Amino acid sequence: MNIDGKNVSLKRKDEIKQKIQQLQNEGKRIPKLVVILVGNNQASQVYVRNKEKACAYVGMLSEIMRLDESVLEDELIQVIERLNHDETVDGILVQLPLPQHIHEERILDLIDPKKDVDGFHPINVAKLFLGQDGLVPCTPQGMMVLLDEIHYDLTGKEVVVVGRSNIVGKPVSLLCLQRNATVTIAHSRTENLKEVCQRADVLIAAIGQAKFFTKDYVKPGAVVLDVGMDRDENDKLCGDVDYQDVKDIVSYITPVPGGIGPMTIAMLLENTLKAYYNREE
């Protein structure tokens, strides 16, 4: 059965819309998200437009700062420092990837952790590691919401996460641990990957290889969360999981498109609203 991320995302956005409407009715300041887009990466431009549309839908203020590909690192730093001190800005997001002459880690570390709606700042990463309240990366958080949607209890379940990125693999592993799952993080150098995946009650696929995971990797009745955003042999959008091959043996699966992707944007809006509330307290 499909987990309809598009529908769940819309429900969450409608809830945010109501909260922002209430703020307007009370004459309060409206939350604001600023997205910094450097260069002309086509995929990044699509993602940024989607974020802009989502903000407009819920009534959140948004600003897209488009900087030239050749912008100097020091110039970008000045922009971030200005936004850090801007009391009208609640969330700052630097769209990745950045041009090669700019150090991504340095830039992300400069964002005020209270405005770090991507959840990538070391302080927010540490809070996640320690189980403290902070801003959590959007895609992993979206996966937890989808598991809640199907009333899936991770307690005692075996979760296999394939992919160890700082954006998805590592944080979702920590979130699953917090819910009392037994977690294995697998990756490109894992031996006997197929056998490891076959143990999973929940398989999280996040490697960026189109249709890599066939039914040979999947335990019958498992829940499969597919983070992949790939292109197949016909240049159609697909996931890391071969959907057609596994859909009849799993209990639940997130389709691509329409699964985890929409949830990522909904969680971004939730993080921005959370950052707003934290700053207004």
Side-chain angles (χ1 to χ4, degrees), residues 63-202:
E63 180 182 349
I64 311 301
M65 301 190 70
R66 292 179 169 84
L67 305 178
D68 194 80
E69 182 93 15
S70 61
V71 68
L72 298 176
E73 185 169 281
D74 285 346
E75 292 175 316
L76 180 54
I77 289 170
Q78 288 174 12
V79 169
I80 290 170
E81 287 178 343
R82 179 168 60 79
L83 293 172
N84 281 343
H85 292 97
D86 188 336
E87 290 300 315
T88 69
V89 174
D90 302 288
I92 303 169
L93 184 152
V94 177
Q95 185 65 47
L96 302 179
L98 290 169
Q100 286 189 340
H101 67 279
I102 294 176
H103 298 87
E104 283 186 3
E105 191 173 305
R106 184 183 181 197
I107 295 301
L108 296 177
D109 287 0
L110 286 170
I111 297 173
D112 182 344
K114 293 178 181 176
K115 298 185 179 187
D116 165 42
V117 287
D118 256 339
F120 296 161
H121 191 282
I123 287 178
N124 284 317
V125 172
K127 285 184 175 182
L128 176 59
F129 184 84
L130 295 169
Q132 298 176 1
D133 185 45
L135 294 169
V136 176
C138 302
T139 299
Q141 184 66 14
M143 285 189 268
M144 297 298 105
V145 171
L146 290 180
L147 289 175
D148 289 339
E149 184 69 16
I150 61 172
H151 307 291
Y152 193 87
D153 184 1
L154 282 172
T155 301
K157 296 294 193 299
E158 185 148 9
V159 176
V160 174
V161 181
V162 190
R164 50 181 167 176
S165 73
N166 294 331
I167 295 172
V168 176
K170 291 175 185 174
V172 79
S173 301
L174 291 168
L175 289 172
C176 290
L177 276 174
Q178 289 174 13
R179 295 189 177 203
N180 302 313
T182 300
V183 181
T184 298
I185 304 178
H187 44 79
S188 59
R189 300 195 180 183
T190 298
E191 293 185 2
N192 304 315
L193 178 61
K194 195 174 287 187
E195 288 77 8
V196 172
C197 292
Q198 286 170 347
R199 300 199 312 256
D201 298 305
V202 178

